[in-house]
Amino acid sequence: MNALLPRDQHNEQLEANVHPPTWINPAPEAPYHLVVIGAGTAGLVTAAGAAGLGARVALIERDLMGGDCLNVGCVPSKGVISSARIAATVKQASNYGVDVPGGAEVDFAGVMQRMRRLRAGISRNDAADRFRDLGVDVYFGQASFVDSETIDVAGTKLQYKRAVIATGARAAAPPIDGLDQIDYLTNESVFSLTELPRRLGIIGAGPIGCEMAQSFAQLGSEVLLVESEHGILTKEDRDAAEIVQQAMLRDGVKLLCCGRQLKLRQDETIRLTVDSHDQHYDEPIDQLLVAVGRAPNVEHLNLDAVGVDFDSKGVRVNDRLQTTHPRIYAAGDVCSKYQFTHAADFMARIVIQNALFAVGPFGKKKASDLVIPWATYTSPEIAHVGLYGHDAEQAGIEIDTYVQHFSDVDRAILEGEEEGFVKVHTKKGTGQIVGATIVAKNAGDMISEITLAMVNEVGLGKIASVIHPYPTQAEAIRKLGDQYNRTRLTPTSKTVLGLLRRWNVGQ
């Protein structure tokens, strides 16, 4: 089991909720309609939803209920990010005419204690007691398939009619010269730190690497960020990633991209050597965070015994989230390229319907029907939904692109947040939205308006008729609707409107 460090009252409360030391597994009284393996987001949603529909449900967890999101992912990272943003705001206060004598002094131990306190409070939602009260039989231990009707957990045999694999994924160790000789951090251990590293090296400029690089720099670390490709967030819209990259550089992150010949060795400190843009670097660092790659948790499940296919990317499923065994399903990071909590949540809802209502109109839900947005919580944030421009080009979909820069949005100007934009792609010649990217302080909140429009087939032109409060940054989305509507003006309509305008002026 993951060690909860440090052993303070907050981590003890977390453990009491999500893996109670005195927990006694129940004795199964009858076959279960559904046995769910893994109590991360996908597993919790599946178990609670199925039990709420009257099914007999067993939920198995070998580690901490709540999975990565609660314990080593979304929750602790956003707790640290919120403190880092406050520190950055204090440092920038003079830009707003506010003098803060002495500037910001960060108590890193206090930052981490706050995170642990808030995480422990949130853990009540994922607590074993709560799920038992919902009618779910909660088992702690390693699950292993025995056959198509039986799962073993810690020596107890559970009979099942259907099963769900929701075991998630974990940080993967990339093949870096010398890494196996270094005591390095991953997302599973970085939130146990109690002292701020003076010099922090981070390998990988994806979402986790960028969020932590910027946050630790804002909190006072000297941060060295190494990326093998050019720039950061290489899967994102390049204009958007460039804005975030410049913000991170201003916060003090040192970026070594296009990194080659990366090597690590342990001296009095960790030594990191790498070639970046024809320059050689040999840097001492106090801590190293590896934020490259994920591996599915499929070990010890004995999937071969039930004919469930899997590979290095995870369990193979069809569009209904059914594995190669017709009565075994999968959801979440163990089978999806969209490794987000909200994606796992909605995949679980599909599994509930398809597993419990395999026959009839309710058992035909498809994962491909999901419209999944996501966000990277840097400052500013990047949020995206649907297709990128290059996706559309590769798929042979012709698009029109509309961009509204925040430098022309009053609220953004007043907040000092002119950098950023809303970019929307529509199917060429129509208002049908096929994708969007937002770069803004609260882009993760703003993207939902566009996601709602896509799900309900509301065109960009109709968004123009939705009144947005003034002044707000969300006005940028309405302005894009205005941009689209202006393209719909034909020469005849322009002539008529011109005549009407002149006639009104004449009045």
Side-chain angles (χ1 to χ4, degrees):
M1 189 175 80
N2 284 336
L4 289 173
L5 299 173
R7 294 299 295 179
D8 63 2
Q9 61 178 334
H10 306 306
N11 275 342
E12 288 176 357
Q13 182 59 55
L14 175 69
E15 183 180 50
N17 283 334
V18 298
H19 196 131
T22 58
W23 187 267
I24 299 175
N25 286 342
E29 297 179 357
Y32 290 102
H33 295 113
L34 202 63
V35 173
V36 182
I37 305 174
T41 298
L44 293 174
V45 172
T46 301
L53 292 171
R56 290 190 303 276
V57 181
L59 176 62
I60 303 171
E61 174 54 56
R62 68 178 181 181
D63 201 336
L64 305 175
M65 294 180 66
D68 270 17
C69 180
L70 171 68
N71 299 292
V72 295
C74 316
V75 170
S77 67
K78 303 315 170 279
V80 172
I81 287 170
S82 64
S83 293
R85 287 180 174 180
I86 293 296
T89 298
V90 174
K91 293 174 185 176
Q92 298 164 6
S94 61
N95 296 335
Y96 295 80
V98 178
D99 182 28
V100 182
E105 183 175 332
V106 174
D107 175 10
F108 184 76
V111 167
M112 302 305 278
Q113 183 183 53
R114 172 184 179 272
M115 177 274 292
R116 294 193 301 274
R117 173 174 56 81
L118 297 177
R119 179 176 61 179
I122 292 172
S123 73
R124 290 191 294 268
N125 297 320
D126 300 343
D129 285 343
R130 175 173 179 264
F131 276 78
R132 180 181 58 193
D133 293 343
L134 291 173
V136 177
D137 283 355
V138 178
Y139 294 82
F140 286 101
Q142 174 63 53
S144 178
F145 284 96
V146 177
D147 53 41
S148 293
E149 296 180 348
T150 312
I151 293 174
D152 179 274
V153 52
T156 299
K157 300 296 190 294
L158 309 184
Q159 302 298 311
Y160 68 91
K161 294 185 177 181
R162 285 177 174 78
V164 180
I165 302 166
T167 49
R170 64 187 183 279
I176 299 173
D177 189 356
L179 181 62
D180 58 348
Q181 304 300 314
I182 302 296
D183 185 16
Y184 61 91
L185 302 168
T186 69
N187 70 293
E188 295 172 4
S189 53
V190 68
F191 301 111
S192 295
L193 290 176
T194 55
E195 295 183 7
L196 181 70
R198 188 179 69 83
R199 287 177 58 87
L200 174 65
I202 299 178
I203 298 174
I208 295 173
C210 286
E211 288 178 0
M212 291 298 97
Q214 188 175 39
S215 294
F216 274 82
Q218 291 171 335
L219 292 171
S221 290
E222 296 178 36
V223 177
L224 185 71
L225 179 60
V226 180
E227 169 58 49
S228 62
E229 298 186 52
H230 182 71
I232 66 169
L233 300 171
T234 55
K235 295 181 180 179
E236 285 292 349
D237 178 281
R238 297 324 305 150
D239 296 333
E242 178 61 26
I243 290 174
V244 173
Q245 180 173 319
Q246 292 306 313
M248 290 174 61
L249 294 176
R250 288 195 298 270
D251 282 327
V253 175
K254 184 176 181 179
L255 173 64
L256 300 180
C257 61
C258 300
R260 298 292 181 268
Q261 301 299 317
L262 174 60
K263 296 181 181 179
L264 300 162
R265 68 181 189 275
Q266 184 78 52
D267 290 335
E268 293 181 1
T269 62
I270 299 171
R271 303 291 301 199
L272 183 154
T273 61
V274 65
D275 295 334
S276 173
H277 293 284
D278 298 324
Q279 186 171 345
H280 181 71
Y281 295 86
D282 186 347
E283 302 285 344
I285 54 177
D286 300 307
Q287 293 275 9
L288 176 70
L289 171 62
V290 177
V292 181
R294 304 274 289 167
N297 293 321
V298 294
E299 297 82 7
H300 312 301
L301 293 175
N302 198 24
L303 297 178
D304 291 337
V306 284
V308 171
D309 287 351
F310 65 94
D311 57 23
S312 60
K313 295 182 180 179
V315 173
R316 186 161 67 87
V317 294
N318 61 21
D319 203 15
R320 296 180 184 178
L321 300 182
Q322 192 176 40
T323 71
T324 48
H325 188 296
R327 292 192 291 110
I328 300 175
Y329 294 76
D333 291 3
V334 75
C335 66
S336 175
K337 67 177 181 178
Y338 300 107
Q339 298 197 340
F340 312 113
T341 296
H342 48 282
D345 182 332
F346 278 78
M347 291 175 73
R349 297 167 191 241
I350 289 174
V351 165
I352 292 170
Q353 295 180 70
N354 291 347
L356 296 184
F357 304 100
V359 178
F362 299 106
K364 300 179 181 178
K365 298 297 181 181
K366 297 180 179 180
S368 59
D369 290 337
L370 295 177
V371 179
I372 302 174
W374 58 83
T376 298
Y377 298 93
T378 47
S379 296
E381 297 175 356
I382 294 181
H384 178 81
V385 65
L387 300 178
Y388 293 100
H390 61 266
D391 291 332
E393 182 178 358
Q394 291 174 2
I397 300 172
E398 293 187 339
I399 59 173
D400 294 317
T401 299
Y402 301 89
V403 180
Q404 177 62 58
H405 293 277
F406 283 109
S407 56
D408 293 322
V409 177
D410 292 354
R411 180 60 183 272
I413 296 170
L414 296 168
E415 295 283 352
E417 296 167 4
E418 299 98 321
E419 290 185 328
F421 56 79
V422 180
K423 180 184 291 187
V424 170
H425 305 299
T426 63
K427 194 171 182 180
K428 190 169 185 63
T430 76
Q432 179 186 347
I433 302 172
V434 297
T437 298
I438 302 178
V439 189
K441 179 180 180 180
N442 294 310
D445 293 309
M446 293 176 65
I447 197 68
S448 293
E449 180 176 358
I450 297 176
T451 307
L452 178 67
M454 292 177 66
V455 170
N456 291 281
E457 299 181 352
V458 175
L460 186 56
K462 289 186 178 180
I463 291 178
S465 64
V466 177
I467 300 174
H468 291 61
Y470 175 87
T472 60
Q473 293 194 22
E475 271 195 300
I477 299 173
R478 180 193 58 76
K479 287 174 177 284
L480 288 177
D482 291 339
Q483 283 189 33
Y484 168 77
N485 284 339
R486 284 195 291 271
T487 69
R488 310 309 295 164
L489 293 175
T490 65
T492 300
S493 61
K494 289 181 180 179
T495 299
V496 171
L497 288 173
L499 291 172
L500 286 172
R501 183 172 61 252
R502 288 194 292 273
W503 183 81
N504 283 323
V505 171
Q507 298 296 309

